Amino acid sequence: MSGDTADDEGPVDAETPGDGSPAGDPDLDALRRDLDQIKTAMGIEDRYPGQRRLWAVHGVLVGGAAVLTNVLFAFPIPNFLYIAVWFVLIALAGVLQWRSAVATDVDDPGPTPSWRVVFGTLVAGWFVLTAIASAIFGDVPGVVQGAYFFSLSVAVLGMGYLLAGTVLSAYSIRARDRYPYYVAGVWMLVFAFFMPYVEFLQYFGYALFGALFFLHGVGTYYLLTYRWD
């Protein structure tokens, strides 16, 4: 009679033969892929809380300033008042956008461009371009001068929107949330190109730009909030 028993065979291995990891361990590669997909699909409101609302705020501020500029043309007021209107409203819009861009609790997905450098470069470029143009437009009629300088500002703003859309891709913002930046940049550059050459735009282009900017801002807010959320 043999003295061997089942206990002498030793503990039974619960692992499946050929399986190099204990049962139930997570698949790290799959988790990394899922994390990459989550980052890629991040909405702009997740990365910058309040950004959707700023589209509407900017639409009202900038659009209102442009329309007000055209209205003021009917009154004999000093030129510095036009500058004051734009400086106050654009500065307010810029401060709101700056706070939204730099004040965020969401970790960066990796090495990313600096919004301070982006905004600072655009502002510096605008000052340089306007200073150069001022030196060579002394004999040009005032209406054409105004249209040119306004179109120059619109062109810089349009380039800023195109650049912002590109930079946002580095922050893993989903494509559909970046489309409004690209669309804004394109139509602003087209508008800026024609304004100094079309007589109607020389006189009424400010209000037309304001209306378009307002519609774009409010429309983007609606899409991001109620259609694409």
Side-chain angles (χ1 to χ4, degrees):
M1 179 176 177
S2 172
D4 293 338
T5 63
D7 293 335
D8 295 333
E9 297 177 359
V12 178
D13 191 355
E15 294 181 8
T16 303
D19 189 356
S21 61
D25 279 3
D27 187 337
L28 297 182
D29 291 336
L31 289 176
R32 292 191 186 97
R33 288 193 297 269
D34 292 341
L35 182 59
D36 290 339
Q37 291 176 355
I38 292 173
K39 289 181 178 180
T40 302
M42 181 181 290
I44 195 169
E45 188 70 12
D46 300 322
R47 183 62 175 82
Y48 300 109
Q51 182 62 43
R52 292 181 301 194
R53 183 178 65 253
L54 283 181
W55 274 107
V57 172
H58 291 168
V60 172
L61 289 177
V62 178
V67 173
L68 182 60
T69 299
N70 244 151
V71 172
L72 292 178
F73 281 167
F75 301 93
I77 62 175
N79 290 334
F80 74 87
L81 287 181
Y82 296 105
I83 300 175
V85 169
W86 277 100
F87 179 80
V88 172
L89 294 179
I90 298 301
L92 179 59
V95 169
L96 292 174
Q97 183 63 61
W98 183 290
R99 288 174 60 87
S100 174
V102 301
T104 176
D105 294 327
V106 181
D107 293 334
D108 290 339
T112 50
S114 169
W115 284 110
R116 293 180 177 87
V117 174
V118 172
F119 292 146
T121 301
L122 288 172
V123 172
W126 179 81
F127 275 111
V128 171
L129 290 174
T130 52
I132 294 174
S134 299
I136 61 177
F137 271 76
D139 298 330
V140 177
V143 173
V144 178
Q145 283 192 38
Y148 175 80
F149 284 111
F150 186 78
S151 65
L152 181 61
S153 300
V154 172
V156 173
L157 184 61
M159 289 186 291
Y161 273 103
L162 289 174
L163 184 58
T166 303
V167 171
L168 286 173
S169 65
Y171 285 87
S172 298
I173 301 301
R174 61 189 177 189
R176 67 184 182 187
D177 285 14
R178 291 184 277 116
Y179 290 154
Y181 291 89
Y182 298 135
V183 173
V186 170
W187 76 255
M188 287 180 193
L189 288 178
V190 173
F191 187 94
F193 176 82
F194 284 104
M195 185 171 180
Y197 301 102
V198 179
E199 185 176 1
F200 173 81
L201 294 179
Q202 292 174 5
Y203 288 92
F204 302 103
Y206 308 90
L208 179 59
F209 170 81
L212 292 174
F213 196 94
F214 172 79
L215 292 175
H216 185 90
V218 174
T220 299
Y221 169 76
Y222 171 77
L223 290 175
L224 293 178
T225 304
Y226 300 105
R227 304 295 294 182
W228 294 346
D229 188 19

